[in-house]
Amino acid sequence: MGKKTALLCSVLLGLSLAGCGAATTPEIIMPDQPMQSAAAPAAQTAAQTAEQNASAENSGQSTDASAASGSSYTVYLITMDLTDSYWKSIDDGCLQAVSELGNITYKWTGPDAHDDALQSACVDAAVADGADAILIAANSADGVNKSLQKADEAGCKIVYVDSAASYDCVTSLSTDNVAAGRTAGETMKTALQEKGITSGTIGIMGVTADTASCVARETGFREAFEGTDFTLADTVYMQDDVANVKNAVADGLGRDYVGFFGSNEGTTVGVGEAAKEAGAETVIVGFDTSDAVLALVSEGVIHATMQQNPGVMGHDGMTIAIQSLEGAYTDTNTKTDTGVTVITKDSM
């Protein structure tokens, strides 16, 4: 790319890979016809390159990673915030791909709160820093489009991970959030039925009204209860303040709510902690698998949580971004559903 000649000569950024997970044998919920990630061939290429490098090292030749393609790229991961450990899982996937591909200067950044203007500023800063590609979990469908357009016009490749904006992209890797929300709803219905509960009110906790991924999960969750005798309360939005969730749970428990749904990690933890502090027995279903969420599941406070595959999003998103920069990936606006896994105490 001519606009970044100086950057294409930059050296590798040293990065270390960290990871976490839970030993489970859970039920895996995937689309009827799962899409094969377009990044799959790249993993084979990386392995072949590693083998070639080892052979070259044995013969005394250079094993500099930049020799693999002759180009160096700067890639940014921009998430909705830097708080949830879910984003760290996407970062871990990116780091894994960077270690496989080499010749990438990689940076993870994001705003302090869920805010379109703050995230747009992060995109603008990445472009100013010479980003060749941006992996972004968009805060809303339209709120960061102007900055993404500027990035596109500057020659920057755009890849969505977890949550897409409406602006054109190379590809989008995410959970089918409506389907995942529906799975969460069916999981709660089953748990309630096992307790002999066939009616009552269920509390719904969201992040913000503009957080597209969580809104889609709520849509699917509500769809699961259509035609039943359950009442789903109006959504309470956390708005980056977990006290909003805890207060809503306390109010719901006082009104004899039979269950609560958290649409992301923060809301799920907030619901679980509030129920635990109140010593209340209620059916809680949430999203994501931070240590805090899994601890509440293992204690039986949270009945189930939907585990996404953020590592795959990060790894394959990074790989596709580099393939696009190299001209090996030429499609646009493709989508991959990375599926969800239902985690319960019994499956841990």
Side-chain angles (χ1 to χ4, degrees):
M1 299 173 64
K3 72 185 182 73
K4 300 184 181 69
T5 302
L7 287 171
L8 297 182
C9 298
S10 63
V11 297
L12 286 171
L13 176 67
L15 295 168
S16 59
L17 176 64
C20 61
T24 64
T25 54
E27 177 187 6
I28 299 177
I29 309 298
M30 289 294 288
D32 293 336
Q33 294 181 325
M35 296 177 63
Q36 292 296 319
S37 170
Q44 298 171 0
T45 300
Q48 292 166 356
T49 299
E51 182 177 350
Q52 292 169 357
N53 285 347
S55 176
E57 184 176 4
N58 291 334
S59 63
Q61 299 176 16
S62 171
T63 59
D64 188 339
S66 63
S69 68
S71 298
S72 177
Y73 299 104
T74 297
V75 182
Y76 271 76
L77 168 65
I78 301 175
T79 50
M80 295 181 193
D81 59 45
L82 298 175
T83 303
D84 286 354
S85 62
Y86 177 80
W87 306 127
K88 176 56 183 166
S89 296
I90 294 181
D91 173 56
D92 287 342
C94 289
L95 289 171
Q96 181 182 353
V98 167
S99 69
E100 293 170 357
L101 298 169
N103 40 303
I104 301 169
T105 296
Y106 166 68
K107 301 177 182 180
W108 172 28
T109 188
D112 294 329
H114 289 239
D115 183 272
D116 289 340
L118 293 176
Q119 192 175 52
S120 292
C122 291
V123 174
D124 295 341
V127 174
D129 190 41
D132 296 286
I134 292 174
L135 279 64
I136 181 169
N139 187 60
S140 67
D142 303 312
V144 295
N145 281 358
K146 289 184 178 179
S147 289
L148 291 176
Q149 181 178 356
K150 292 177 182 177
D152 183 23
E153 291 171 348
C156 189
K157 301 294 185 181
I158 298 169
V159 172
Y160 295 123
V161 288
D162 180 70
S163 182
S166 56
Y167 191 80
D168 288 344
C169 65
V170 173
T171 191
S172 176
L173 300 101
S174 65
T175 304
D176 181 334
N177 286 299
V178 174
R182 195 179 300 116
T183 297
E186 294 294 342
T187 300
M188 179 173 283
K189 278 201 307 184
T190 298
L192 290 168
Q193 289 168 359
E194 289 174 351
K195 290 178 174 290
I197 301 172
T198 58
S199 65
T201 303
I202 298 169
I204 311 292
M205 307 298 153
V207 180
T208 71
D210 295 324
T211 305
S213 58
C214 294
V215 171
R217 293 167 196 166
E218 178 189 332
T219 297
F221 185 85
R222 290 181 180 277
E223 286 178 358
F225 284 89
E226 291 178 357
T228 71
D229 292 327
F230 291 99
T231 299
L232 274 61
D234 291 339
T235 305
V236 174
Y237 294 106
M238 184 168 65
Q239 300 285 6
D240 293 306
D241 186 354
V242 72
N244 292 335
V245 170
K246 291 189 173 183
N247 291 338
V249 172
D251 181 67
L253 290 173
R255 297 171 183 266
D256 295 324
Y257 281 17
V258 297
F260 295 90
F261 171 60
S263 61
N264 79 330
E265 178 193 351
T267 56
T268 300
V269 172
V271 172
E273 289 181 344
K276 182 177 179 179
E277 290 167 6
E281 290 188 9
T282 185
V283 176
I284 300 170
V285 173
F287 261 82
D288 300 328
T289 51
S290 67
D291 290 345
V293 171
L294 292 177
L296 290 165
V297 172
S298 68
E299 293 173 21
V301 176
I302 293 176
H303 171 71
T305 189
M306 305 298 109
Q307 181 183 45
Q308 302 181 81
N309 293 299
V312 173
M313 298 176 197
H315 176 276
D316 289 3
M318 175 67 71
T319 304
I320 292 174
I322 298 304
Q323 288 180 336
S324 180
L325 288 166
E326 297 285 357
Y329 189 95
T330 58
D331 292 338
T332 58
N333 293 318
T334 60
K335 295 181 179 180
T336 298
D337 177 6
T338 51
V340 294
T341 304
V342 180
I343 303 294
T344 64
K345 181 178 181 179
D346 292 339
S347 71
M348 296 181 70

